[in-house]
Amino acid sequence: MKNKIDYAQYANLSPFELKDNLIKLAQSRTDRVMLNAGRGNPNFLATWPRQAFFQLGLFAIQESEMSFSYMNEGIGGLPIKPGLTGRFEDFIRCHYATPGVPFLGKAFSYIRDQLGLDENAFLQEIVEGILGCNYPYPDRMLRFSEEIIKSYLLQQMGAQALNCEDIDLFATEGGTAAMTYVFNSMKENELIRQGDKIAIGAPIFTPYLEIPSLNDYQLVEVLINADPESGWQYPESELRKLEDPSIKAFYIVNPSNPPSVKIDDKSLKIIADIVEKRSDLIILTDDVYGTFADNFQSLFAICPQNTILVYSFSKYFGATGWRLGVIATTRDNILDKIITELPKKTKQILNKRYSSIVTEPEKLKFIDRLVADSRAVALNHTSGLSTPQQIQMVLFALSEMMDADQSYKAMLKSVIRRRDKALYRHLGLTNHTDENSVEYYTLIDLEKICRELYDDKFAQWILKNKNPTELLFRIADEAGVVLLPGKGFAVQHPSARASLANLNEYQYAAIGSSMRKLAEEYYAEYKTKNK
Ligand SMILES: *Cc1c(COP(=O)(O)O)cnc(C)c1O
């Protein structure tokens, strides 16, 4: 290395902030391209539901112009109900050759024939919604949008045992907002208090480690550590920590980030057993990668009354810029029960807090408290996700539900799997994948690479003599490759997280090759020093 960098200064940085420093280094040379596998942002996206969105937008604009007398003046009116369906059907017929239009026609009949919804009212909701001409109402989620996303979630989360009437949704600005709202409302409603213990399934998406320790929350974190030797599943002994009644909540990402595996059936059973004994345990499951897994079952399906589900459309549909997420709770849930059992004094304070929005604040459901708290209660009437966002969300969900052969899913899986293979092949390792893996990310374990490429002694030497952060900086500097440190996600071993979602196959091959080259150089150094 040319210039000495003090790696200790980066010790407390979140991996996502450290990444910016790595990017700077990786971009510092003009003779090569940077390979940034640091971010989880996918480089693929679903095109059909977007085509449908824009075509629907054009139809909605026509409707608006038609309803106002000052035609062609750049002013439209609110869409008119009578005759809407007929005009929509004419639009579909006239523009059938235009990409996106047949999708709209199919969606229209799908929600009627398969979901049993009133197609005329649905059409009115999506036409008004896409124009964004009214405040979102109901504020938690538009009526038909909620029904459709419910069906989508129950299907995708393996929760077919639940019915749409059993659950409530709150549409949010991505999973990010969902997380923020849940943390905040749990605190405001004293479901978690300063000093409480919360369990966190590790390794995990960094914010789940960082938020609880903020001054706002001051929670005590108990890690439930997955075992790399058993395909990153949680050992029973770790899960049994949840039996400790002082643990208020369990926060988990499933399939995990970064190991990218779903919880296996055995562990799901153990968690169900624990919840039988600990009926007061609140579970927050972030299942944004659930749609990538085969036969996925969310904890929302296993322990519905205890679980808050967070889902996002960002990853699967390549829609990070859209900001589309959702929070789900069951109508019969322990959150509402715990709230009714709070000390009288606390309940009085809460009743006052929510008294401006309902006449019987003590009956306000947790999910509606989330909505109110998201806009500082006083702005509850203008809360909710923007209506065009909700319409795009609906079209994304419908595209998956109407895809009978699961062709989009199959395509994404094969793309990601090929990238994973290319990376490890060029690194010189065989990567065995298991059925629980979704391979959205891969964790490259330093010790394992050194041992498999050379031997155990070399692996020990590397661990003792090389700082893992330094290795990440070297690979950024010398090969232009950006990876994130596993440590920031509470991975116990020195490792790097590579996203398999945001570069192309040949670039993953190049990442594998440059890591291999670095290993060879270190091995040469080790040999000269250990003659
Ligand atoms: C990417 C990611 C999110 C963020 O989702 P957005 O919808 O883009 O805000 C949330 N949770 C996990 C585990 C993620 O990996």
Side-chain angles (χ1 to χ4, degrees), residues 213-278:
S213 64
L214 290 177
N215 188 42
D216 316 33
Y217 297 101
Q218 299 178 39
L219 301 168
V220 178
E221 299 176 11
V222 178
L223 293 190
I224 306 291
N225 287 303
D227 176 14
E229 298 309 317
S230 63
W232 293 106
Q233 293 299 328
Y234 299 101
E236 178 159 5
S237 56
E238 286 293 303
L239 289 173
R240 292 287 170 194
K241 287 183 188 167
L242 297 171
E243 289 180 358
D244 173 356
S246 70
I247 292 176
K248 289 281 167 62
F250 178 34
Y251 289 1
I252 191 163
V253 172
N254 182 32
S256 51
N257 170 4
S260 246
V261 297
K262 64 171 187 180
I263 302 179
D264 65 10
D265 294 343
K266 183 173 151 248
S267 307
L268 290 178
K269 279 210 187 78
I270 297 169
I271 297 171
D273 178 62
I274 293 168
V275 169
E276 288 258 317
K277 294 174 202 155
R278 285 231 38 216

Side-chain angles (χ1 to χ4, degrees), residues 48 316 399-400 403-413:
W48 293 348
Y316 190 70
S399 76
E400 185 64 23
D403 183 3
D405 312 328
Q406 299 279 283
S407 57
Y408 181 76
K409 191 175 288 234
M411 190 79 123
L412 288 194
K413 277 188 195 153

